[in-house]
Amino acid sequence: RASVQPVRKHSDTQFLPEGERTKPAYVVYSPDHIRQIREGEDGWEADCFIHPHDGYVYECIHVMNWTAPRRRLQHYKAIFIRKEIT
């Protein structure tokens, strides 16, 4: 139920740490809640997905509530970057 698209706008990556801006990235729009990492005792891991075409794992690093004014449906816009293989 999500829309996955390559990041094409600088405005989507300008808030990321400098080292993350050059990594392959996708923007995901979804009505379902998307989570980025939360550190601490009550924290959680970030959401990830495996891209069907390249097989790489992409991890959510930033989520924004993307609900349009006057709309009842809540949506999320998230930036996912390719995880480094270690």
Side-chain angles (χ1 to χ4, degrees):
R1 293 181 17 167
S3 172
V4 179
Q5 303 167 16
V7 169
R8 298 192 190 277
K9 292 189 274 181
H10 172 71
S11 60
D12 284 335
T13 58
Q14 67 184 0
F15 56 84
L16 301 178
E18 194 170 319
E20 307 292 328
R21 294 179 195 166
T22 58
K23 293 181 181 177
Y26 284 89
V27 60
V28 175
Y29 298 95
S30 175
D32 298 321
H33 187 72
I34 301 172
R35 299 190 314 179
Q36 64 191 52
I37 193 168
R38 179 175 173 182
E39 296 178 350
E41 277 187 32
D42 60 342
W44 53 72
E45 294 294 319
D47 288 337
C48 296
F49 73 90
I50 299 172
H51 196 282
H53 296 293
D54 66 19
Y56 288 107
V57 174
Y58 290 81
E59 180 178 41
C60 179
I61 57 167
H62 188 74
V63 179
M64 298 156 274
N65 185 318
W66 207 64
T67 303
R70 301 182 208 198
R71 296 244 174 150
R72 295 177 194 257
L73 296 176
Q74 187 170 16
H75 281 74
Y76 298 91
K77 176 182 178 181
I79 306 297
F80 284 73
I81 60 167
R82 189 167 76 191
K83 288 183 76 168
E84 296 295 319
I85 300 171
T86 56

